[in-house]
Amino acid sequence: MFSGYTATAHASSIANDIELIFPPKGIVIEQGTEQKDSDGRESESFYKSVGLDVKMHDGEAIYTLNASFDIGETWRVFGEYDNNKFWEAGVGKSFYNAFMFTEVTAKANSIGYSAGIFAGIPVTETVILMADTNYNWYTDEFRFGFDLGDDYQGELGFTPSDTLDIMLGVSWSAHERLNVSYSYNHVYDTRGGNSWVTVPELGIDEQCFLDINCSKGNFNYHDITLTTQIWKFSPYFTYTYFADRENFYEFGLSFRW
């Protein structure tokens, strides 16, 4: 019932960040040097993006407004807000060398905190290997009321487990206006979550009534993302595949300048 929550919240996060980290035209950034794009032209030092995503899950549409702004050569701030009142805000610090790009991030959101590190290794002019690790601390709990009739009111609730999310992927610039990426994702529950049901009028107060939320567990999923570039707009499509639960897909449109 609740086990897919973590994946729903985090599955497409890396898809949104790929072009923020590696902007269109193959920009290569080295500290202390001038930025140029793949055509040799000087490129902007600071990068900004505002986007709108639509994710379809369980037959419902989730709309998310997101933004990312560079505040220096190696710092950026970013955030998002959706129609389910989920919000997240964070800051990232980047490190560059001739071999790889690394970004360390810290985030706060409406249900907890997260810290992570992303690494990108260009292996050719069109292929980038990616790895991402995040630890998520959940501080919120979720409560759902229900009515049994005869004035019997009850409540379901759960506190999700903290999780360690790991991603391994590859990004391929198949064309100057088309990028294809794939990622394998693993989510590990680092401690058992808690769940309960209460019906005060009947004297019911049961803890851990869903075993799946009260024991450590893990699951995998896969993301495939197609991103295009039309002027300063970047439409994208992400399909997320789970072996044992409902898959979902997401459409997004970002304006980058």
Side-chain angles (χ1 to χ4, degrees):
M1 180 176 180
F2 305 121
S3 57
Y5 180 83
T6 300
T8 302
H10 300 286
S12 62
S13 60
I14 194 61
N16 296 335
D17 288 341
I18 289 174
E19 281 201 11
L20 300 178
I21 297 169
F22 303 102
K25 293 186 177 297
I27 294 174
V28 177
I29 305 174
E30 293 184 6
Q31 288 182 326
T33 64
E34 198 174 57
Q35 291 187 28
K36 295 186 178 181
D37 63 26
S38 57
D39 297 323
R41 297 188 294 259
E42 290 188 11
S43 183
E44 294 291 337
S45 297
F46 303 113
Y47 195 61
K48 298 170 284 291
S49 170
V50 176
L52 176 66
D53 308 321
V54 181
K55 179 185 299 179
M56 298 300 300
H57 186 249
D58 290 335
E60 297 183 1
I62 302 173
Y63 302 91
T64 304
L65 180 65
N66 59 75
S68 176
F69 299 93
D70 287 358
I71 55 175
E73 292 184 356
T74 61
W75 288 90
R76 74 179 178 109
V77 292
F78 52 91
E80 66 177 60
Y81 184 82
D82 69 23
N83 61 319
N84 287 333
K85 298 183 179 181
F86 174 84
W87 61 266
E88 183 170 76
V91 60
K93 168 67 174 177
S94 303
F95 303 89
Y96 304 88
N97 58 44
F99 175 67
M100 67 185 299
F101 165 92
T102 304
E103 183 181 50
V104 178
T105 58
K107 294 172 280 188
N109 56 55
S110 55
I111 58 175
Y113 304 92
S114 178
I117 182 170
F118 174 92
I121 302 175
V123 293
T124 71
E125 292 184 355
T126 60
V127 177
I128 298 169
L129 300 180
M130 304 179 296
D132 187 48
T133 301
N134 286 273
Y135 193 93
N136 307 294
W137 294 269
Y138 291 95
T139 59
D140 205 357
E141 63 181 19
F142 302 88
R143 297 173 178 270
F144 309 90
F146 60 88
D147 186 354
L148 293 177
D150 297 325
D151 296 326
Y152 292 152
Q153 304 295 319
E155 182 181 72
L156 297 174
F158 81 106
T159 302
S161 169
D162 292 346
T163 62
L164 177 66
D165 300 354
I166 300 172
M167 182 279 292
L168 298 174
V170 59
S171 176
W172 173 43
S173 296
H175 184 269
E176 64 178 2
R177 298 196 179 279
L178 176 64
N179 180 274
V180 182
S181 66
Y182 163 79
S183 66
Y184 168 82
N185 303 268
H186 179 84
V187 177
Y188 177 72
D189 292 343
T190 59
R191 61 178 177 83
N194 297 313
S195 58
W196 65 88
V197 59
T198 60
V199 184
E201 292 85 356
L202 299 178
I204 297 175
D205 186 8
E206 298 289 340
Q207 297 290 319
C208 198
F209 70 102
L210 291 176
D211 290 340
I212 192 171
N213 289 320
C214 300
S215 61
K216 293 182 178 180
N218 59 81
F219 60 90
N220 307 316
Y221 62 93
H222 307 263
D223 277 341
I224 297 177
T225 300
L226 304 178
T227 306
T228 61
Q229 180 69 23
I230 303 173
W231 188 52
K232 293 182 181 294
F233 291 95
S234 294
Y236 78 87
F237 170 78
T238 296
Y239 179 74
T240 301
Y241 171 77
F242 296 88
D244 57 354
R245 65 197 70 193
E246 182 178 353
N247 304 322
F248 59 87
Y249 54 90
E250 178 176 343
F251 297 93
L253 178 64
S254 295
F255 177 68
R256 311 176 190 279
W257 73 98

